[in-house]
Amino acid sequence: DTGVSQNPRHKITKRGQNVTFRCDPISEHNRLYWYRQTLGQGPEFLTYFQNEAQLEKSRLLSDRFSAERPKGSFSTLEIQRTEQGDSAMYLCASSLARALIVLTFGAGSRLTVL
Amino acid sequence: DAKTTQPTSMDCAEGRAANLPCNHSTISGNEYVYWYRQIHSQGPQYIIHGLKNNETNEMASLIITEDRKSSTLILPHATLRDTAVYYCIVPIFNSGNTPLVFGKGTRLSVIA
């Protein structure tokens, strides 16, 4: 297993377009998290899944954002009608569902909205 | 999250110990302290965690004060590759159901 994989690594899009990011977690990890990070800030939590169930969503996750994990393996994060304020690094992480919160992060997908 | 306070930035000479402080004065008795770091253009990386005893692993040591209101992450022999932002995190309720909430962390610069 090569860790958490995210694709694409970079995406440039025009305002109003839809974009989708994919995350492949570590295979035995049943929890998957999405974070967003803007320049100079720490990562901000967006949502997380345990298996295929989406257990928590941040208020940051507007109705233009949707995340899925249909078979409890990979996940997708879609942003509809992108805005310039959506420009950020989108980070995915995975972990085992245990009491201790040890997350393994991917390298991120950088979105630039023109 | 229990509030954590970290200095914005620190410098450390290469080969010397880097001591990164964190205040968490509102921590509860069953809450752990976690440390992560983020090297430029990479995702955060788990370093270490602890409850009340000092902890050591291959990456770092974690010293937690007896009253648990503060902790120090120690990188015993800092290298240039340790230049990163270091995050001290105390999640609320260590049930594993609350995701980690990151602050701004401490930007450590290791200088040759």
Side-chain angles (χ1 to χ4, degrees):
Chain A
D1 194 359
T2 56
V4 177
S5 177
Q6 293 189 244
N7 288 287
R9 291 294 313 279
H10 302 277
K11 178 71 176 178
I12 300 173
T13 192
K14 293 182 179 179
R15 188 175 53 188
Q17 298 296 306
N18 299 344
V19 296
T20 299
F21 300 113
R22 175 178 170 128
C23 172
D24 288 271
I26 292 173
S27 56
E28 62 266 28
H29 285 181
N30 49 7
R31 288 198 171 180
L32 186 148
Y33 306 78
W34 285 99
Y35 283 80
R36 179 176 69 186
Q37 186 173 27
T38 53
L39 196 63
Q41 303 297 315
E44 297 172 296
F45 168 73
L46 292 178
T47 188
Y48 90 98
F49 294 84
Q50 180 157 318
N51 300 314
E52 65 275 9
Q54 190 172 16
L55 295 187
E56 189 168 341
K57 292 194 291 187
S58 163
R59 288 171 292 179
L60 293 174
L61 210 66
S62 77
D63 56 6
R64 297 185 297 106
F65 287 70
S66 62
E68 295 182 342
R69 194 183 183 198
K71 297 183 179 179
S73 56
F74 73 91
S75 175
T76 57
L77 176 69
E78 181 183 18
I79 309 173
Q80 297 182 325
R81 306 181 302 281
T82 52
E83 302 173 356
Q84 288 185 323
D86 297 331
S87 295
M89 176 74 81
Y90 290 86
L91 293 161
C92 176
S94 67
S95 74
L96 293 168
R98 292 177 178 166
L100 300 177
I101 310 173
V102 178
L103 274 59
T104 302
F105 281 83
S109 293
R110 180 167 296 282
L111 173 65
T112 301
V113 181
L114 302 177
Chain B
D1 273 16
K3 182 177 176 63
T4 61
T5 306
Q6 299 179 254
T8 303
S9 63
M10 294 180 63
D11 292 339
C12 177
E14 187 179 22
R16 303 297 293 270
N19 298 291
L20 293 98
C22 179
N23 287 322
H24 31 80
S25 58
T26 60
I27 195 169
S28 297
N30 62 346
E31 292 175 336
Y32 283 74
V33 181
Y34 292 79
W35 283 82
Y36 281 70
R37 74 178 182 183
Q38 188 172 21
I39 295 170
H40 183 62
S41 296
Q42 297 182 21
Q45 175 190 25
Y46 165 79
I47 302 173
I48 199 167
H49 69 273
L51 182 62
K52 52 185 174 182
N53 297 320
N54 298 338
E55 302 288 345
T56 296
N57 64 19
E58 64 278 5
M59 292 183 68
S61 295
L62 175 60
I63 308 298
I64 302 174
T65 58
E66 192 168 343
D67 64 7
R68 301 208 330 115
K69 294 183 184 300
S70 66
S71 60
T72 301
L73 180 75
I74 301 172
L75 308 178
H77 305 286
T79 70
L80 298 178
R81 285 176 290 185
D82 292 321
T83 292
V85 178
Y86 287 78
Y87 298 98
C88 169
I89 305 168
V90 178
I92 297 174
F93 312 129
N94 280 282
S95 65
N97 291 324
T98 301
L100 293 178
V101 176
F102 291 78
K104 292 189 177 183
T106 296
R107 182 172 299 278
L108 175 68
S109 298
V110 180
I111 303 167

